[in-house]
Amino acid sequence: MADSSPERPQADKDDVLELNNDLEKMTECVENMSVQLTWMAYDLVALRTSPELGALLRGLEEAYHRCRAAVCGDRSQEPELEDRAQI
């Protein structure tokens, strides 16, 4: 009985070290998958978003500002609109 007692803490220490190594490997794998998924999502958005869409949205925003200025008066009378455009 006295022989098994000193070996047990060593066996537990080895098990803990092995568990830590396994957890580190799993964490690294999950991090790699996360990076790959992020790049896939980025590529998907980049491929599906056409450059024309951005130009059309900017044109639409400019048209909105012109219409707003025509309806509400001169832009200098609406500092709130200028503040939003800078954000």
Side-chain angles (χ1 to χ4, degrees):
M1 260 214 206
D3 292 325
S4 63
S5 182
E7 292 177 20
R8 182 120 177 116
Q10 182 64 29
D12 288 342
K13 186 176 181 180
D14 290 341
D15 289 342
V16 169
L17 288 175
E18 185 179 344
L19 179 62
N20 283 342
N21 288 336
D22 290 343
L23 288 174
E24 284 179 25
K25 288 177 186 177
M26 283 189 236
T27 303
E28 187 175 337
C29 287
V30 169
E31 288 173 352
N32 289 336
M33 283 190 285
S34 176
V35 169
Q36 289 174 355
L37 286 172
T38 302
W39 278 112
M40 287 172 58
Y42 174 80
D43 289 341
L44 181 68
V45 170
L47 291 174
R48 292 198 176 183
T49 303
S50 69
E52 297 169 351
L53 181 61
L56 290 173
L57 287 174
R58 281 189 293 278
L60 184 61
E61 186 177 8
E62 290 172 8
Y64 165 77
H65 289 302
R66 286 193 305 270
C67 289
R68 176 104 178 177
V71 170
C72 297
D74 191 14
R75 281 191 166 188
S76 61
Q77 294 175 353
E78 274 192 63
E80 177 185 339
L81 182 61
E82 291 175 4
D83 290 343
R84 278 193 239 148
Q86 292 174 355
I87 295 175

